[in-house]
Amino acid sequence: MKKFLKEFKEFALKGNVVDLAIGMIIGTAFTGIVTALTSNFIQPILDFVTRAHPNLYTGTEILGFVSAFISAIINFIIIALTLFLLLRGINRLSNLKKNKEEEKEVITTKVCPYCKSEIDINATRCPHCTSEIKD
């Protein structure tokens, strides 16, 4: 079961999967803005022009249209901000993991101060120029 969960975690946190999920969520939220725009601004204009609604809209109806559109924009901003913070946290966690892996790398070589060749860290003489290495 642990192996399955580990594999699922690796799959779910891959960049492509996360990007696709965020794209789908942002797209859905943006659809709400487009729907609010068309139903609250464009449709009333078309109704008036085609005389589907021959009377002018009242001030209360117009305020309702504007508030519905502003509400859709605020919903989009909240969703985008939440996704940004979530993705930022995921990126920080993965960077911490990478940093820990980099710290685990052990230095096994050093550079000879005379010939600038790479030699073993424990060497007391350079195998290339036979100079004595002082620590």
Side-chain angles (χ1 to χ4, degrees), residues 32 36-37 39-41 59-75:
L37 175 70
S39 65
N40 295 316
F41 287 104
T60 307
E61 289 174 321
I62 293 173
L63 284 176
F65 295 153
V66 172
S67 67
F69 182 68
I70 291 173
S71 175
I73 291 173
I74 291 171
N75 287 339

Side-chain angles (χ1 to χ4, degrees), residues 40-56:
N40 295 316
F41 287 104
I42 296 174
Q43 189 63 42
I45 292 170
L46 290 175
D47 287 348
F48 180 73
V49 170
T50 60
R51 306 221 186 253
H53 193 282
N55 299 329
L56 290 175

Side-chain angles (χ1 to χ4, degrees), residues 44-106:
I45 292 170
L46 290 175
D47 287 348
F48 180 73
V49 170
T50 60
R51 306 221 186 253
H53 193 282
N55 299 329
L56 290 175
Y57 287 100
T58 65
T60 307
E61 289 174 321
I62 293 173
L63 284 176
F65 295 153
V66 172
S67 67
F69 182 68
I70 291 173
S71 175
I73 291 173
I74 291 171
N75 287 339
F76 176 79
I77 291 171
I78 290 171
I79 290 170
L81 180 65
T82 303
L83 287 175
F84 169 73
L85 293 174
L86 180 68
L87 188 61
R88 185 175 171 203
I90 289 171
N91 287 339
R92 283 191 177 178
L93 285 175
S94 64
N95 286 341
L96 286 175
K97 184 178 178 183
K98 287 179 186 177
N99 290 340
K100 285 182 181 179
E101 288 174 1
E102 290 174 2
E103 288 176 3
K104 289 181 182 178
E105 293 180 16
V106 178

Side-chain angles (χ1 to χ4, degrees), residues 107-112 117-128 133 135:
I107 299 172
T108 58
T109 60
K110 62 183 175 183
V111 176
C112 173
S117 298
E118 195 172 284
I119 59 174
D120 187 77
I121 191 106
N122 297 323
T124 57
R125 282 196 179 267
C126 177
H128 303 285
I133 308 297
D135 289 329

Side-chain angles (χ1 to χ4, degrees), residues 10 91 132:
E10 289 173 4
N91 287 339
E132 190 173 329

Side-chain angles (χ1 to χ4, degrees), residues 20-44:
L20 179 64
I22 288 175
M24 294 291 291
I25 294 168
I26 291 289
T28 303
F30 191 72
T31 301
I33 291 177
V34 172
T35 302
L37 175 70
T38 55
S39 65
N40 295 316
F41 287 104
I42 296 174
Q43 189 63 42

